[in-house]
Amino acid sequence: MESKINRVCVFCGSSSGKDPVYLAVAEKLGEFIAGNNLELVYGGASIGVMGRIADTVLDGGGKVTGVIPELLQGEVAHAGLSELHITKTMHERKAMMFEMSDAFIAMPGGLGTLEEIFEVLTWAQLGYHSKPCGLLNVAGYYDKMIEFLEHSVREKFVRPENIDILQVAGSPEKLFELFKNYRPVKIKKWLDPENIQ
Ligand code: AMP
């Protein structure tokens, strides 16, 4: 059964990227979140794409919850959030962000962003949750990663049904439309020998 999305967890760059379009899309998603009375959960930093989306949601009157490990707190924590949770470790941080959120979105980002979105995807694949996961693919930033995932399906390491766990769109409106129609995949993760042709 479809469950309502209230809190959206966004994974994105602690850098701003080369092209101004990356910060522009953070503003678009931030406006969408605030404008639709959703709440933002994110990594709690004041810098890069992360800082921009948090500022935009706050400016739009929305609630923003940051979750940051103590190692990063002094350096980059955003001082003006609705709530800021400090965790001991990175693992506690990700567990908390996961528990708090009803859906996950990756915008352009680096290694941290990739790790975070792939973690929630692998948990969905194993049936630990059925919360929607999406990619906001701005200016073709993730095209090569999507190509690689298709390659991993062709090479029989990923089931075609499981690649569909990752919903991909170029705008927040389209992505949330996909989330509304998302039906969790209910199959075993493993590719059985008889399926390999
Ligand atoms: P990256 O994409 O490598 O810039 O990493 C950004 C993602 O990893 C965010 O979604 C954060 O949750 C986490 N992260 C990485 N670096 C930081 C940082 N300096 N401050 C807060 N969160 C960070």
Side-chain angles (χ1 to χ4, degrees), residues 10-15 42-47 50 67-69 72-73 75-77 90 93-94 97 107-116 141-142:
V10 176
F11 307 127
C12 56
S14 54
S15 305
Y42 86 119
S46 60
I47 51 178
M50 297 177 73
V67 187
I68 197 162
L72 299 173
Q73 179 202 359
E75 217 178 316
V76 295
M90 209 57 166
R93 173 216 222 170
K94 290 191 293 174
M97 289 165 84
M107 284 197 303
L111 298 178
T113 303
L114 296 176
E115 189 257 353
E116 290 170 325
Y141 179 72
Y142 281 116

Side-chain angles (χ1 to χ4, degrees), residues 9 11 41-43 67 93-101:
C9 181
F11 307 127
V41 174
Y42 86 119
V67 187
R93 173 216 222 170
K94 290 191 293 174
M96 193 170 190
M97 289 165 84
F98 172 75
E99 291 301 334
M100 281 182 157
S101 309

Side-chain angles (χ1 to χ4, degrees), residues 59-84:
D59 289 349
K63 181 174 174 186
V64 181
T65 302
V67 187
I68 197 162
E70 54 189 21
L71 186 73
L72 299 173
Q73 179 202 359
E75 217 178 316
V76 295
H78 194 302
L81 301 178
S82 322
E83 271 178 34
L84 181 67

Side-chain angles (χ1 to χ4, degrees), residues 16 19-31 49 52 56 107 138:
S16 302
D19 191 323
V21 74
Y22 303 130
L23 289 177
V25 82
E27 289 175 9
K28 275 223 173 88
L29 181 56
E31 283 162 10
V49 182
R52 184 62 62 92
T56 310
M107 284 197 303
V138 182

